[in-house]
């Protein structure tokens, strides 16, 4: 087995599997993207996650390029796994700081199904934990850090592996589907409580963003979502934004699906605290869904936290959404001692970055 171009094992950044034909190597840039896409598609096709999921969208060449360059240091914060010279897996690390000060180091690995059960997945997690230990030392965050990873409930192999290595699920998101947009409840004649819809202009992005952040302020789930990211991801064609005078009262950020997909998405539904329980959220949601239907979308999906304090499940189900999948975020407390990295168990706090960034 070789580990071409990898740092010396003595520096603690690598834990390669001790089996013939398997090697870890650094990410080499754009040349690796076709192989990474093949791995992601191979894992997705055998993983049980629905093709229309908006929590775990189907990988694309463009998405792979964004995903592979997301780590702080792409050449050191991710590995390519090869077997017999063929790429069979990939793992990478990203980090962010939650609203409560917890520094989350999330690792995400994919390994082709035919290579599972051979110890490679465990070695990938060990590599990630070793690299995270180095990052924590560099960042000086040992007192605030935790390990984290994601797995859908249907990904039994991944869930079992994480739990065996001492991770505990601390947060779940639930995905909902409205299967047929042709039979929506009627739109209300006017928005409640004197609010009104206005066409979205670029100058409105900041007050919309500020309203959404304020709506989540008491949940701690506002970290990892800065204004520049909001602007870069803005697709306002079907956004429904309610105003009361000069202020934003609520917003339903609905977007059309990828070309040829016909599955729209409700990316955000938020209402200012003083406007809640007055029917505004439902009116905005319906306005957005009707806009998607007029666009030609056949169905719509959304996701929200399982521990939702605002009873939004009831709202979604009242217009026809049904629960279709659950995805978990797993955590393990950080320890700088290598022996503890291999055995510590426990849970952390809720993470807050957009699930699809991971």
């Amino acid at each position: 087995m070789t580990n071409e171009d990898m740092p010396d094992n003595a520096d603690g950044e690598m834990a390669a599997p001790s089996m013939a034909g398997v090697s870890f190597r650094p990410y080499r840039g754009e040349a690796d993207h076709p192989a990474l896409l093949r791995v992601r598609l191979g894992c997705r096709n055998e993983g049980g996650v629905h093709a229309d999921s908006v929590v775990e969208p189907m990988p694309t060449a463009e998405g792979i390029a964004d995903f592979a360059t997301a780590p702080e240091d792409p050449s050191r914060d991710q590995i390519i796994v090869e077997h017999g010279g063929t790429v069979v897996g990939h793992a990478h690390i990203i980090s962010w700081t939650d609203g409560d000060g917890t520094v989350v180091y999330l690792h995400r690995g994919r390994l082709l199904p035919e290579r599972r059960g051979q110890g490679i997945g465990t070695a990938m997690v060990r590599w990630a934990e070793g690299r995270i230990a180095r990052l924590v030392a560099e960042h000086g965050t040992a007192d605030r850090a935790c390990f984290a990873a994601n797995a859908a409930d249907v990904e039994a192999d991944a869930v079992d592996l994480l739990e065996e290595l001492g991770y505990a699920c601390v947060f779940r998101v639930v995905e909902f589907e409205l299967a047929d947009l042709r039979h929506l409840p009627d739109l209300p004649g006017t928005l409640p409580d004197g609010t009104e819809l206005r066409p979205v202009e670029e100058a409105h992005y900041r007050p919309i963003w500020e309203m959404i952040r304020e709506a989540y302020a008491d949940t701690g789930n506002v970290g990892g979502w800065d204004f520049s990211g909001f602007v870069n991801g803005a697709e306002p064609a079907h956004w429904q934004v309610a105003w009361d005078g000069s202020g934003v009262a609520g917003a339903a950020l609905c977007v059309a699906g990828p070309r040829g997909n016909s599955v729209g998405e409700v990316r955000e539904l938020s209402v200012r605290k003083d406007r809640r329980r007055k029917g505004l959220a439902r009116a905005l949601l319906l306005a957005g869904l009707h806009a998607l239907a007029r666009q030609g979308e056949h169905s719509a999906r959304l996701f929200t936290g399982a521990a939702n304090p605002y009873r939004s499940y009831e709202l979604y189900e009242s217009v026809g959404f049904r629960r279709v999948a659950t995805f978990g975020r797993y955590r393990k407390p950080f320890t700088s001692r290598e022996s503890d990295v291999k055995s510590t168990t426990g849970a952390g706090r809720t993470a807050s970055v957009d699930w699809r960034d991971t």
Side-chain angles (χ1 to χ4, degrees):
M1 180 184 73
T2 62
N3 297 288
E4 173 192 0
D5 300 328
M6 291 300 291
D8 191 334
N9 288 354
D11 72 6
E13 292 189 23
M14 178 182 169
S18 56
M19 58 193 68
V22 177
S23 61
F24 287 176
R25 67 164 174 82
Y27 165 70
R28 295 172 180 162
E30 189 174 349
D32 277 329
H33 292 183
L36 295 185
L37 179 59
R38 182 180 60 82
V39 168
R40 289 285 299 276
L41 288 171
C43 293
R44 182 57 176 275
N45 292 339
E46 300 295 329
V49 178
H50 195 278
D52 292 335
S53 175
V54 294
V55 180
E56 290 277 1
M58 286 295 289
T60 63
E62 295 80 6
I64 289 295
D66 292 339
F67 182 84
T69 55
E72 180 179 336
D73 184 344
S75 68
R76 294 172 67 84
D77 295 344
Q78 59 191 323
I79 54 166
I80 307 298
V81 183
E82 292 186 341
H83 180 270
T86 299
V87 175
V88 298
H90 170 249
H92 83 168
I93 299 163
I94 61 171
S95 64
W96 68 89
T97 301
D98 271 355
D100 63 3
T102 301
V103 184
V104 181
Y105 292 86
L106 186 139
H107 56 89
R108 187 69 159 111
R110 273 97 172 178
L111 182 65
L112 288 175
E114 60 267 27
R115 292 299 164 196
R116 296 173 189 169
Q118 303 170 21
I120 303 174
T122 300
M124 291 167 70
V125 175
R126 295 305 186 212
W127 169 84
E129 290 177 341
R131 176 59 184 158
I132 289 168
R134 286 294 298 266
L135 290 171
V136 168
E138 292 172 10
H139 298 163
T141 54
D143 60 333
R144 298 177 287 127
C146 73
F147 300 110
N150 291 344
D153 284 6
V154 295
E155 296 174 314
D157 290 345
V159 171
D160 289 346
L161 174 59
L162 291 172
E163 291 179 344
E164 287 171 5
L165 297 179
Y167 289 74
C169 186
V170 297
F171 178 66
R172 283 186 168 87
V173 297
V174 180
E175 185 164 7
F176 287 77
E177 180 188 43
L178 201 165
D180 191 344
L181 290 177
R182 295 173 300 176
H183 304 292
L184 293 168
D186 292 337
L187 281 169
T190 59
L191 292 185
D193 210 24
T195 57
E196 63 175 1
L197 290 176
R198 296 179 189 170
V200 178
E201 301 174 2
E202 189 171 347
H204 300 158
Y205 288 177
R206 182 165 286 277
I208 294 170
W209 175 78
E210 290 175 346
M211 184 279 299
I212 295 171
R213 285 182 63 88
E214 189 277 333
Y216 287 103
D218 58 356
T219 70
N221 293 335
V222 295
W225 192 37
D226 60 20
F227 180 61
S228 62
F230 178 80
V231 171
N232 290 338
E235 299 179 45
H238 307 299
W239 287 8
Q240 309 297 314
V241 180
W243 296 75
D244 56 356
S246 60
V248 176
L253 308 187
C254 299
V255 300
R259 183 174 298 178
N261 179 269
S262 296
V263 180
E265 180 183 356
V266 183
R267 289 196 178 162
E268 182 57 52
L269 179 63
S270 296
V271 172
R272 209 172 62 208
K273 293 178 182 178
D274 63 325
R275 294 289 185 169
R276 292 174 185 165
R277 304 298 172 196
K278 298 179 180 180
L280 181 57
R282 191 174 194 274
L284 289 171
L285 176 59
L286 282 173
L289 293 173
H290 276 272
L292 292 175
R294 290 192 298 271
Q295 167 72 19
E297 305 299 272
H298 297 159
S299 62
R301 288 193 170 220
L302 60 84
F303 64 90
T304 186
N308 192 298
Y310 305 122
R311 302 205 312 268
S312 59
Y313 287 5
E314 299 173 12
L315 169 59
Y316 301 141
E317 290 169 346
S318 76
V319 302
F321 281 96
R322 295 294 177 265
R323 306 179 199 194
V324 293
T326 306
F327 301 78
R329 174 154 291 160
Y330 293 76
R331 287 195 179 186
K332 182 167 72 171
F334 174 79
T335 173
S336 59
R337 299 206 316 268
E338 184 178 354
S339 60
D340 290 341
V341 166
K342 295 180 180 179
S343 62
T344 304
T345 62
R349 290 175 284 267
T350 299
S352 57
V353 297
D354 186 333
W355 197 273
R356 289 162 298 200
D357 291 342
T358 58

